[in-house]
Amino acid sequence: MAPNLLRKAGQAVALNAIANWTTLIGSFLSIVIIARILTPEDYGVFVMALMVVMLPEVIASGTLGDALVQRKELRPGHINSIFLQSMTLSIAAWGLLILLAPWIAKGFGEPSVAPVLIVTGAILPIGAVMSVPAALLQRDLRYKEITVIDILGTVTAAIVGIVLALLWRNEWALVGMEMSRRLVRVCGFLFFAKWMPKVESNWLDFQELVRFNLANGTSKILQTFDQMLPKTLIGVTLGSHAVGVFNLPERLFQQANQALIAPFAAVAMPVASAMQDHRESLHQAMDSAIRMSALLAYPTFMGAFVVAPYAIPVVFGEQWAPSVPIFQIYMVIGLRAPITAIILGVFRGVGRPDVVAWITLTSIIATSTLLAFTYQYGLVAIAFALLAKQVITFVLSTWMIQRVVGFTVMRQLMAGSSAFFASCVMGIVVWLFMDFVPTGGHPLLHVIETIVLGALVYPVALYFFMPRLGRHILRAVRILLSGQPREALKTVRGALTEQGI
């Protein structure tokens, strides 16, 4: 069972990666264009409204569908029960947001937040309809269909966002962008899952799911609250401009995380659920996922850290220059992301969302304590507080996964160590190039040259830390340069399989 499941999981990771890379490219291009049209204040107003919607969205639709993925035996009544719960909670939450919108906007000191919040609240019932078919596709690892949906959603949202930004030049362009993405996704999930909402369910169906839903819901609510806390504090104390400045690096980090790490984290829960009684196979799958995600994530985060002071003002405009140090701190945070993201999926997969809840509660306590001492010193101090909090939760989560499934802390750290050291070498070379090689042409050309240099140095550095894999990658590069992309891909795939990745 394990080899077939791992093969299917590997295909799911590849398909999810295609979708997420397409999302990254499309979102990045749209962010660049829209960020040059709109102001940090526009972004700040939209982010304030979206933050408020996040918590009821998690309660209404972001957690309940996980029970359909995790459960070994699934009946139609379970599916209908989840839909009824999601829809009831989402409609009630939207109504409450409509009533409270003026007071919420007053709390932020931004009256324009109120209408944006009322309209953005429509994503709650949309998410309730989407949660069931999305969970059914994920349960069956049908990531081919999910890939198509994600690509369509990204392309549509990018087009809508850019057009509306050019026409309206305010925060409503971002609202339209988000709404269009959600609508395309819900239509796509319904079409591919071949599922239509039904209401036939009973009390037994609800009871069989309620224990997991309560534990999983608590953990996700706590995670969302933890994410909301810094920007809520910034919005209340420093205003919409500061929220916009802080949001850009966080958004870029989330996009990179989605493309590089999320494909592995997305399948961690269903794979862990299927392998929860086969610990050695689960350890092998976790080891492979951490190694592979680290190979991609570490050089990206390290390279972005080095080029950020030059690249962000050139790409996004000088008005976003204050975001640079915050972005660099987020890139340091990203170095622990591959391990943590996979660990959290495994906890849920083996039926222990309660552990995620305890880790997240610790994170909230750490965030609150650190922010209380740092927020008055500005955005960079807040970002450093988040970095310190991530160190605390990283130590706790790696220790807890060892206790729960027996995957040792040392094995977790060693899985990505070669990629980390190779990325450090690459970062030093790129930094020396940026500091000592004069800029001869357009600044954007210099940024591109720097990125290309990093992409060439990394596989060479990897050669010294993983000689066998490094030889295969260098061979694949030569094959690619000779005009044989398929053969190059086969070479890389064979090398990864040989390394147990």
Side-chain angles (χ1 to χ4, degrees):
M1 179 195 72
N4 290 333
L5 180 61
L6 286 174
R7 192 178 302 113
K8 192 174 182 181
Q11 293 170 352
V13 167
L15 289 168
N16 202 335
I18 292 171
N20 289 347
W21 272 99
T22 304
T23 299
L24 173 65
I25 295 169
S27 298
F28 181 77
L29 291 175
S30 62
I31 289 171
V32 169
I33 296 171
I34 295 171
R36 286 182 165 273
I37 300 171
L38 305 183
T39 66
E41 287 84 355
D42 296 326
Y43 270 91
V45 169
F46 172 68
V47 171
M48 286 175 178
L50 195 61
M51 279 193 304
V52 176
V53 176
M54 279 173 60
L55 190 58
E57 183 182 22
V58 168
I59 297 171
S61 59
T63 64
L64 298 177
D66 286 348
L68 304 180
V69 180
Q70 195 275 336
R71 189 167 180 82
K72 291 182 180 180
E73 296 179 3
L74 194 62
R75 297 194 307 268
H78 294 141
I79 298 172
N80 298 339
S81 176
I82 293 297
F83 169 70
L84 286 171
Q85 294 173 61
S86 295
M87 185 55 70
T88 302
L89 289 170
S90 65
I91 292 174
W94 190 17
L96 188 62
L97 287 179
I98 292 172
L99 291 174
L100 297 179
W103 285 273
I104 293 171
K106 186 177 180 180
F108 280 119
E110 291 284 349
S112 54
V113 169
V116 175
L117 177 57
I118 291 171
V119 175
T120 307
I123 69 177
L124 295 174
I126 294 173
V129 176
M130 184 170 63
S131 62
V132 169
L136 294 176
L137 292 179
Q138 186 184 358
R139 175 185 175 87
D140 295 332
L141 295 176
R142 293 174 59 187
Y143 279 89
K144 181 178 181 180
E145 291 88 344
I146 295 174
T147 299
V148 172
I149 295 166
D150 286 344
I151 291 173
L152 286 175
T154 298
V155 172
T156 303
I159 294 171
V160 170
I162 292 170
V163 170
L164 293 182
L166 290 169
L167 291 174
W168 295 344
R169 296 181 178 273
N170 58 30
E171 63 272 10
W172 287 101
L174 301 171
V175 177
M177 182 177 180
E178 185 65 22
M179 293 295 290
S180 64
R181 185 177 71 87
R182 304 278 184 143
L183 288 170
V184 169
R185 284 172 61 81
V186 71
C187 292
F189 281 122
L190 287 170
F191 175 78
F192 284 115
K194 306 299 181 188
W195 175 84
M196 292 300 294
K198 296 177 183 177
V199 296
E200 294 89 355
S201 185
N202 56 51
W203 183 247
L204 179 61
D205 296 324
F206 174 82
Q207 283 183 310
E208 290 178 345
L209 300 174
V210 70
R211 182 178 178 183
F212 178 85
N213 282 339
L214 284 174
N216 190 47
T218 300
S219 71
K220 286 204 171 183
I221 290 168
L222 290 173
Q223 283 180 308
T224 304
F225 182 77
D226 192 29
Q227 293 170 10
M228 291 170 53
L229 194 57
K231 283 191 289 190
T232 302
L233 178 64
I234 293 168
V236 171
T237 59
L238 301 176
S240 59
H241 181 274
V243 173
V245 169
F246 194 87
N247 182 70
L248 179 67
E250 183 188 59
R251 177 74 185 274
L252 293 173
F253 168 72
Q254 289 172 346
Q255 292 293 336
N257 190 75
Q258 190 70 16
L260 300 167
I261 299 165
F264 303 93
V267 300
M269 181 179 170
V271 169
S273 177
M275 290 183 170
Q276 55 188 298
D277 297 325
H278 306 275
R279 289 298 169 86
E280 190 50 47
S281 297
L282 177 58
H283 294 173
Q284 179 187 344
M286 292 177 66
D287 188 273
S288 298
I290 294 172
R291 284 175 185 270
M292 189 62 196
S293 59
L295 282 172
L296 300 172
Y298 287 168
T300 302
F301 291 132
M302 189 71 71
F305 175 90
V306 176
V307 303
Y310 196 79
I312 286 181
V314 170
V315 175
F316 294 96
E318 289 293 336
Q319 70 269 29
W320 296 101
S323 296
V324 169
I326 302 166
F327 177 81
Q328 289 181 303
I329 294 169
Y330 265 107
M331 294 302 98
V332 176
I333 291 173
L335 295 176
R336 37 67 60 189
I339 298 176
T340 306
I342 292 164
I343 284 174
L344 297 181
V346 171
F347 279 133
R348 291 192 173 96
V350 298
R352 295 297 306 273
D354 57 303
V355 178
V356 181
W358 282 112
I359 292 172
T360 308
L361 183 60
T362 303
S363 177
I364 290 173
I365 294 171
T367 302
S368 303
T369 304
L370 292 165
L371 288 180
F373 289 101
T374 57
Y375 81 92
Q376 64 265 39
Y377 299 108
L379 297 179
V380 176
I382 290 174
F384 271 117
L386 296 182
L387 173 60
K389 180 262 296 193
Q390 291 292 349
V391 172
I392 294 169
T393 55
F394 175 75
V395 172
L396 178 59
S397 60
T398 53
W399 176 66
M400 285 302 298
I401 200 68
Q402 177 176 292
R403 288 196 62 186
V404 173
V405 301
F407 191 62
T408 65
V409 173
M410 184 57 66
R411 192 169 175 185
Q412 295 171 55
L413 297 176
M414 291 303 296
S417 59
S418 297
F420 173 76
F421 291 121
S423 299
C424 289
V425 172
M426 180 208 70
I428 293 171
V429 172
V430 169
W431 173 69
L432 291 172
F433 176 81
M434 291 189 66
D435 262 25
F436 295 104
V437 175
T439 307
H442 194 278
L444 183 59
L445 263 180
H446 191 58
V447 172
I448 295 172
E449 290 169 356
T450 305
I451 294 171
V452 171
L453 174 65
L456 294 174
V457 168
Y458 176 64
V460 176
L462 197 62
Y463 175 87
F464 291 97
F465 295 101
M466 299 178 71
R468 188 178 300 175
L469 179 61
R471 283 195 296 270
H472 283 290
I473 290 177
L474 290 175
R475 181 167 170 251
V477 170
R478 289 196 298 269
I479 295 172
L480 180 64
L481 294 175
S482 70
Q484 302 178 65
R486 288 187 179 179
E487 289 300 319
L489 185 60
K490 283 183 183 178
T491 302
V492 173
R493 190 180 299 157
L496 294 174
T497 303
E498 187 179 320
Q499 292 287 313
I501 299 175

